[in-house]
DNA sequence: CAGCATCCCTAGGGATACTG
DNA sequence: CAGTATCCCTAGGGATGCTG
């Protein structure tokens, strides 16, 4: 067993937000709770299996919470926890830097177009 | 071919800093240029192959530059580019959040101990 | 609707050895 | 010293289909 878990604290953060869709999910959750299907639509190219896995991991890291409504058809809403909200400035900074990089590289993001 | 490169700008950032050691490398480069062997010592558990790959990718993304000194034995120094320096506040915020997470989870990072 | 189950695949990461 | 070269391996991600 190792004496340390990380080389540097930055790794502890990347472990939480570093999955393929995680930061993007968090970003979309900033504006408020979203259901599974809403996230699916926003993350056009993600499969439901992967998305649900990433959401589960975010939940395990306690940055989002999952609320189940006992209805038919089923309804589930994901939202940021208080702890997750501490990530907010970080996520926004990540998004800002990404936007500048889009300008620099000429690449495009769906999100940018729809705003 | 896809019409878009990303769903959201956050992905453009994660593409740059999201590799296993990338953010950590950037973090250590904040204090100034470092040679390959210095980074190897700081990133205790990274292999030279991986580290050199990650550095090469950071270089391709134009956030670090590689300076070769024509000496024997060879000497190479890595440092942040001006563009890379625009990542600075972000990296520091990532580190801060990571530190708070270390406190919360009781995990440890080498870096924290040595300071 | 909100997901698991199953199967599959490759890219990222790692160990070890070797060179200019 | 600062890397490649080679081989290997698994974890993350993806396609498709099924269920409560």
């Amino acid at each position: 067993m190792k004496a340390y878990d990380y080389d540097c604290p930055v790794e502890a953060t990347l472990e939480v937000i570093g999955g393929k869709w995680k930061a993007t999910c968090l970003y979309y959750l900033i504006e408020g709770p979203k259901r599974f299907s809403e996230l699916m639509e926003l993350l056009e190219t993600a499969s439901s299996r992967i998305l649900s896995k990433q959401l589960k991991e975010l939940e395990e890291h306690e940055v989002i919470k999952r609320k189940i409504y006992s209805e038919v058809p089923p309804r589930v809403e994901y939202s940021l926890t208080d702890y997750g909200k501490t990530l907010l400035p970080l996520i926004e900074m990540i998004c800002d830097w990404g936007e500048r990089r889009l300008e620099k590289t000429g690449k495009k993001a769906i999100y940018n177009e729809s705003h």
Side-chain angles (χ1 to χ4, degrees), chain A residues 17-30 34 39 42-44 51 54-55 58 91 94 111:
Chain A
I17 65 170
K20 178 130 173 203
W21 310 101
K22 288 181 188 173
T24 308
C25 282
L26 293 173
Y27 184 78
Y28 288 133
L29 290 178
I30 289 177
K34 295 254 179 305
L39 289 170
L42 290 166
L43 277 61
E44 274 196 3
L51 182 56
Q54 306 258 326
L55 289 167
L58 287 170
I91 298 291
I94 287 174
Y111 151 81

Side-chain angles (χ1 to χ4, degrees), chain A residues 90-108:
Chain A
L90 184 49
I91 298 291
E92 273 167 352
M93 198 176 260
I94 287 174
C95 191
D96 288 347
W97 196 87
E99 280 180 13
R100 274 178 278 128
R101 189 164 120 81
L102 292 178
E103 287 167 24
K104 181 182 165 76
T105 60
K107 294 192 176 183
K108 289 178 192 164

